[in-house]
């Protein structure tokens, strides 16, 4: 998150939404990033620093890597969802 005088779209946003475990909130954070004029610089900096988690430049980071979505807490699914099977193929 950048300083309030920054041209970044997240400058006036609530910082906690960029570090949430709730995927609905994470998608809102990504939507804020989608309109940001410094999105590429933010993403490049996060990749360079290997940010441990959060939404940076419109991408979700976990353990320093960009991921599509977080796995919810709890036991993994016994049967993958159809879209997960299609992606694996």
């Amino acid at each position: 998150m950048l300083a309030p005088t920054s041209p970044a779209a997240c400058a006036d946003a609530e910082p906690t939404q960029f570090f949430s475990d709730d995927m609905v909130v994470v998608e809102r954070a990504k939507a804020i990033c989608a309109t940001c004029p410094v999105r590429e610089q933010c993403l490049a900096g996060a990749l360079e620093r290997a940010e441990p988690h959060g939404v940076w430049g419109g991408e979700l980071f976990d353990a320093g890597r960009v991921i599509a979505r977080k796995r919810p807490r709890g036991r993994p699914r016994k049967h993958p969802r159809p879209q997960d099977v299609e992606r694996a193929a």
Side-chain angles (χ1 to χ4, degrees):
M1 191 106 153
L2 302 174
T5 59
S6 168
C10 64
D12 295 326
E14 178 63 39
T16 57
Q17 68 187 355
F18 294 89
F19 301 96
S20 178
D21 286 330
D22 182 345
M23 287 309 293
V24 172
V25 176
V26 167
E27 290 303 318
R28 277 192 228 131
K30 286 181 171 184
I32 291 170
C33 293
T35 64
C36 186
V38 293
R39 180 176 182 231
E40 287 86 21
Q41 295 95 318
C42 179
L43 179 57
L47 288 167
E48 185 178 311
R49 294 185 304 272
E51 283 293 340
H53 63 278
V55 175
W56 296 90
E59 300 293 339
L60 179 60
F61 280 73
D62 186 39
R65 297 177 309 146
V66 173
I67 60 171
R69 65 185 177 307
K70 289 184 180 182
R71 186 178 76 77
R73 291 186 180 150
R75 184 180 273 184
R77 295 177 179 270
K78 285 186 178 182
H79 306 287
R81 291 183 284 182
Q83 69 262 23
D84 294 340
V85 173
E86 291 172 10
R87 286 184 187 152

